[in-house]
Amino acid sequence: MSHHSSVRQTELTRILKAGDVSTRFQPLLSANDGRLFAHEALLRGPVQSPLHEPLELFAEATKAGLAVELDLLALERALQAFTARDVPGKLFVNVLPETLLHADLPRCLQRLTRECGLDPHRLVVEVTEHGPQLDAAPLCAEGRRLRALGCEIAIDDFGTGISGLKVWSELRPDYVKIDRYFIARIETDPVAVELLRAMLDMAHVLGSRVVAEGIETECQLELLRNTGVDYLQGYYISKPLEQATDQTGNYSVKPIPVDQAVEVSCIGDLCFERQPVGPQMLIAEAVAMFRSNPQWETLPVVQDSKPVGLVRRDALLLLLSKPLFPEIFNPKPVSRVMESNALVIDERSRLSLASRLITRNRQSRINEEFIVARDGRYLGLARSVELLHHITEERLREAQQSNPLTLLPGNREIDSEVFRLTALQVPFVIGHADVDNFKPFNDQYGYSQGDQVLLHLAGLCRSAAASGLDFVGHPGGDDFILVMRSTDWNRRLTRIVDSFAASCHRFYS
């Protein structure tokens, strides 16, 4: 063993024996209004120690087989430091999968929250990873025990390690933290933007709220707010603090003005209330409810606020129409006849996503009802036919407000985008492009050929714009407007001009 390794092992032993660790707290803010939502507890070793940084400290503890012991010490110190100050919001605490599996964490947390006077419902256990990936099944079992205590679950760094899709789909975390790898690239990489949107869609379908961590620039922050993430965290907002605080004035996040807020049509707009029933309700009672409410098509079945299925009127009455079936089934619970794989869609899901989910479900019919959830809990029902009707109306409105030739947004949408970015106080560039000698070209070659030129230019503008950052509009004629937030806007505009100059000859005879 080298002298360097020996010193570090000796230092680790001293730290664990003396409990010589401290906690820093990094705020998480609501993306919608900038209010303080929670703090994440971050471990630190002694200031002058070679094991001051948490990665170094955990690496040495893992090497010595003491990672779980260190994890429990960090957890205890975090709860003690957080409850020492009367601050609002939740507390995110990091735990290793090994700690979750081998340390009887629910019992440990029950003791610590009781000793510190912290309501377990304010605690979010964030499963992180510094080692090999583990089996999802036992993690999910321990997650259920934590939820029974009142804690919520988060998975860290989605896209790597423990937070793969399998764990996400089985553990159904209350929060998902998007890996900072994607956050760092959303300003310049269109693929990262599309991946972020896909992750948001998946999260909201599964009832998870999304935390964007590692935010380091104003552009990243505003782009993330516009894409629909729920919470924000990073050095741009606040570096880790020595103490948790209820002050948010210096965190550089301004609420979006109400009159300038972006209206997003989502499933929640179509939700209506329907009193749920429990899985133990007798089938005879469900039949009586349908008879008393002939307009009802379904009964939602809910247990502990979580939707577990649907009882469909037509299917139930068809079953009971068979000889002797009423006598057999009426005394049994509705769980025997409910549709346990019923479609559940989060209220924040975009209409287009919900439409895809419904059309991909082979059992769905045009007039069926499906369950709407809020953060995984039952909220109400919505109808497929109303969703499709709403989408059709939305498409018609978009068509009316778009240029009829290129289908690019027209004057109203261009104005709205400029006003929105101005209200958010984010930097942007406006480019105006028109075609030289377009009228003489139309006179010589005809309007049909002129339309082909405009369609070609529209395609060049679209391909040059950064997805998720830049906006392309067509107010009319040969005029095009580009509202650009990409940092390399100059290169992108030059590319449009050069590409058009190199290709326009094809439209001449």
Side-chain angles (χ1 to χ4, degrees), residues 165-176:
L165 283 173
K166 182 179 179 181
V167 174
W168 191 1
S169 63
E170 294 185 13
L171 186 59
R172 295 293 179 94
D174 301 281
Y175 305 90
V176 173

Side-chain angles (χ1 to χ4, degrees), residues 290-301:
F290 279 128
R291 286 175 176 165
S292 301
N293 301 276
Q295 74 279 13
W296 287 8
E297 296 293 333
T298 58
L299 281 176
V301 185

Side-chain angles (χ1 to χ4, degrees), residues 74-221:
L75 188 62
E76 182 177 4
R77 290 290 186 267
L79 267 65
Q80 290 171 346
F82 184 72
T83 53
R85 295 177 57 83
D86 184 19
V87 294
K90 295 181 179 290
L91 175 65
F92 280 63
V93 291
N94 296 285
V95 299
L96 297 169
E98 299 92 315
T99 305
L100 189 58
L101 294 176
H102 304 304
D104 196 0
L105 189 61
R107 181 174 298 186
C108 176
L109 286 176
Q110 190 173 34
R111 175 183 62 81
L112 287 174
T113 52
R114 184 174 61 249
E115 292 175 355
C116 296
L118 180 67
D119 182 353
H121 292 86
R122 295 178 62 193
L123 196 61
V124 181
V125 178
E126 184 175 328
V127 185
T128 186
E129 186 180 29
H130 298 283
Q133 185 167 338
L134 302 175
D135 186 20
L139 285 176
C140 295
E142 290 302 312
R144 287 191 289 272
R145 292 184 63 206
L146 287 173
R147 282 200 170 95
L149 181 64
C151 302
E152 292 183 300
I153 308 293
I155 54 176
D156 194 18
D157 298 336
F158 176 70
T160 61
I162 193 66
S163 54
L165 283 173
K166 182 179 179 181
V167 174
W168 191 1
S169 63
E170 294 185 13
L171 186 59
R172 295 293 179 94
D174 301 281
Y175 305 90
V176 173
K177 285 194 164 185
I178 302 297
D179 183 62
R180 63 188 64 216
Y181 170 87
F182 300 103
I183 306 302
R185 285 161 173 76
I186 60 173
E187 293 178 87
T188 56
D189 186 356
V191 174
V193 176
E194 293 306 316
L195 286 172
L196 174 64
R197 286 175 171 166
M199 286 186 269
L200 284 167
D201 285 341
M202 286 189 291
H204 291 162
V205 166
L206 293 174
S208 301
R209 284 155 284 178
V210 177
V211 180
E213 60 179 351
I215 301 170
E216 295 185 352
T217 69
E218 182 179 13
C219 185
Q220 288 174 359
L221 183 145

Side-chain angles (χ1 to χ4, degrees), residues 21 126 143 165 231 249-250 323 360 399 424:
V21 296
E126 184 175 328
L165 283 173
Y231 303 107
N250 62 332
R360 288 173 184 171
L424 292 174

